[in-house]
Amino acid sequence: MSTAPVSVSPVPLRPQRDGAARPPGRRAAAARTVALRAGAFLATLVMATFVAFWLIKLVPGDPATAIAGENATPERLAEIRAQLGLDKPLLAQYGDWAAGVLHGDFGTSLYSGQSVAGLLAQRLPVTLSLVFCSLLLAVVVGVAAGIVGAVRNKRPEGRVVTGAATLGIAIPNFWLGLVLVTVFAIWNPWLPATGFSRAGDGAGEFLRFAVLPTLALGAAGVAEVARQLRGALLEVFTADYIRMARAKGISGTALLVRHALRNAGVPVVTVLGLLINRLVGGTVVVEVVFAIPGMGTLVVDAVKQRDYPVIQAVVLVMAVIVLVANAIVEILYRRIDPRIRLS
């Protein structure tokens, strides 16, 4: 029995990835997207720093009085304000600060007389180390707990993960930090209660000081990642393509790694982007609780001393960290799910 030949339409080839073969329209759209992203980045920095600059001026107190003392004469106070440029209008003060930043000059601390750039160079690595350790803890433990909670959903292990995730989100990081210090540094002196060790001092010493603040800062992140990944996996497990893969005999591990985790990754990446923002802000509280010499304690001391240049520099650096983290999250969106198009 003969069958008629079937004609097959040729599949159009994808355009080459090199710049010469890319259509001009796509190149223009890509350039426009980059320009819009850069413009939004700069506009956000300007808005964040200006709002912070304006709010600082509303805080009661006078830097000139803090420098000269309570018994200083009005003439001396006026002289200090003129030297620091505090007698100028608000926009003029902000313009002078922004012009200095564009030239790499963050100014000088009003209280200590040190270079603000030097203070940032000392404190920023400490804060970044704490944020990185907390984020690593949230990813590793949170992903593992989320998988267990989804795979063992109706078993005791799954219920434990769900309950622990709910509790972890509800606990404030400063309260958890105080509890950790009480249990592991006062009642049982196993770990130091205060201070921080740089990575160059040795891995063992670094971890000994980093364990408690990392747990205090990253516990809520672990809970949030675990909860979101568990919910996303439970939804993916009911999809038709997962049922088809199971019908084809794909094992549980291969099914989880190749299909389920990739499709559940977008909400988890969203959580990680928000988590980085929260971790950067949470360092202010955690560093004060553990007396860590990072950006958090630097800005708290600067607020107490009305040290405007230091406050502005810390706000700028933290805003840059948050915006860069958001940009990385957008790139990861495309890597995980190419169907997502960012306008």
Side-chain angles (χ1 to χ4, degrees), residues 65-81:
T65 304
I67 294 173
E70 297 289 341
N71 299 323
T73 62
E75 293 77 12
R76 176 56 180 163
L77 294 177
E79 180 184 355
I80 294 176
R81 293 190 187 100

Side-chain angles (χ1 to χ4, degrees), residues 38-335:
F41 188 96
L42 293 176
T44 304
L45 284 182
V46 171
M47 183 178 299
T49 53
F50 180 76
V51 170
F53 198 88
W54 175 65
L55 290 176
I56 293 169
K57 301 299 181 180
L58 299 180
V59 177
D62 183 10
T65 304
I67 294 173
E70 297 289 341
N71 299 323
T73 62
E75 293 77 12
R76 176 56 180 163
L77 294 177
E79 180 184 355
I80 294 176
R81 293 190 187 100
Q83 291 176 352
L84 300 178
L86 300 178
D87 57 342
K88 298 181 181 179
L90 179 64
L91 289 177
Q93 294 182 44
Y94 179 80
D96 293 342
W97 175 82
V101 170
L102 291 177
H103 291 85
D105 181 14
F106 289 91
T108 304
S109 170
L110 303 182
Y111 186 79
S112 65
Q114 294 180 270
S115 168
V116 176
L119 291 174
L120 294 178
Q122 296 173 6
R123 303 294 190 98
L124 183 58
V126 175
T127 298
L128 291 180
S129 299
L130 181 58
V131 171
F132 175 78
C133 292
S134 302
L135 184 63
L136 184 63
L137 176 70
V139 172
V140 174
V141 180
V143 169
I147 292 174
V148 172
V151 175
R152 306 282 185 176
N153 181 36
K154 297 182 179 180
R155 299 185 181 182
E157 307 95 288
R159 296 189 180 94
V160 169
V161 169
T162 303
T166 304
L167 183 63
I169 294 174
I171 295 178
N173 52 17
F174 71 89
W175 183 86
L176 180 59
L178 294 174
V179 171
L180 292 174
V181 168
T182 303
V183 175
F184 297 103
I186 299 177
W187 292 352
N188 303 288
W190 298 333
L191 296 170
T194 59
F196 203 77
S197 176
R198 299 178 182 271
D201 298 335
E205 193 70 7
F206 172 79
L207 291 175
R208 197 170 71 89
F209 279 90
V211 168
L212 294 185
T214 297
L215 289 175
L217 184 60
V222 172
E224 186 65 31
V225 171
R227 190 176 70 167
Q228 293 293 334
L229 181 59
R230 173 184 172 276
L233 284 176
L234 289 177
E235 184 177 353
V236 168
F237 286 159
T238 62
D240 293 336
Y241 65 90
I242 294 294
R243 295 194 186 100
M244 181 65 69
R246 285 173 175 167
K248 291 181 179 180
I250 298 179
S251 65
T253 303
L255 182 68
L256 179 67
V257 174
R258 296 178 185 176
H259 301 282
L261 281 178
R262 183 178 181 87
N263 289 278
V266 172
V268 175
V269 170
T270 303
V271 170
L272 291 179
L274 298 174
L275 179 60
I276 293 175
N277 302 345
R278 272 182 269 172
L279 290 177
V280 172
T283 55
V284 176
V285 176
V286 173
E287 287 181 2
V288 170
V289 171
F290 291 92
I292 297 174
M295 298 279 285
T297 51
L298 178 64
V299 73
V300 169
D301 293 339
V303 170
K304 294 178 181 178
Q305 300 159 358
R306 312 296 186 269
D307 202 341
Y308 298 157
V310 174
I311 299 173
Q312 280 297 112
V314 173
V315 170
L316 175 64
V317 171
M318 288 189 170
V320 169
I321 294 174
V322 169
L323 292 174
V324 170
N326 291 338
I328 294 174
V329 167
E330 290 186 353
I331 295 173
L332 290 177
Y333 279 152
R334 283 193 169 190
R335 299 295 298 177

